[in-house]
Amino acid sequence: MTANALATGSFTIDMTSADTDLPGAARFDFTKQWVGDLEGTGRGFMLSAGSPAAGSAGYVAQEVFEGRINGRQGALVFHQFGRMVAGSASQWYEIAPGSGTGELEGIGGTLSIEVVDGQHRVTLSYAIDDGLSAAHGERP
C-alpha cells in the first residue's frame, strides 16, 4: 500500500456540444491535456442542466485519464460533479473505485480544482491499495 500522496498540476480543456434527447439537459464531449504531477490526456462526456447564464446549474461527467501520476503509468476514471448556485461554483472529482490500470491499479482518491485567471489548477489526494478496501466500498 502507498501512503496518502499528493499530486498537483493543471489542465486545458476542449469541449464540443453533442446531441442529447434528454429534455432540459445539454451534453458535451471533451478532451483535456494534463500537465504537472498529473501528465496525460483525458477524454469524456458531461451532462448539464439548469441555467448557467442565470447563475444556477449542475453537471455530472465521466473522464478517462491516461498518463502518469507522480511517475506511475496507467489509466483511471474520474467521476465529476459540479454545481453553481447564485453564481457561486464548486466542483468535486472522485476516482471511480476499481478503475485504475497499470501502475495505478488500486488507486483511490479525490481531486480539488481551483480556477485562477481561467487556469484550472488541481490537487489530487490519493492512495494506492492492494484492492481490499475498494472491494468493501471504503473511501481512501
Side-chain angles (χ1 to χ4, degrees), residues 60-75:
V60 295
Q62 294 280 312
E63 175 183 354
V64 177
F65 168 88
E66 297 175 293
R68 296 181 183 276
I69 297 176
N70 284 331
R72 290 177 172 258
Q73 180 73 37

Side-chain angles (χ1 to χ4, degrees), residues 63 65 74-78 94-102 104-107:
E63 175 183 354
F65 168 88
L76 56 80
V77 175
F78 285 116
E94 178 183 77
I95 297 171
S99 68
T101 66
L104 299 176
E105 186 173 350
I107 193 168

Side-chain angles (χ1 to χ4, degrees), residues 31-34 39-43 63-68:
T31 57
K32 290 181 182 174
Q33 292 301 311
W34 295 79
E39 179 181 10
T41 302
R43 294 173 291 128
E63 175 183 354
V64 177
F65 168 88
E66 297 175 293
R68 296 181 183 276

Side-chain angles (χ1 to χ4, degrees), residues 1-8 37-38 69-70 72 95 104 107-111 123-128 140:
M1 176 174 187
T2 299
N4 287 339
L6 292 177
T8 60
D37 297 334
L38 297 99
I69 297 176
N70 284 331
R72 290 177 172 258
I95 297 171
L104 299 176
I107 193 168
T110 59
L111 183 137
T123 301
L124 176 65
S125 176
Y126 70 96
I128 298 178

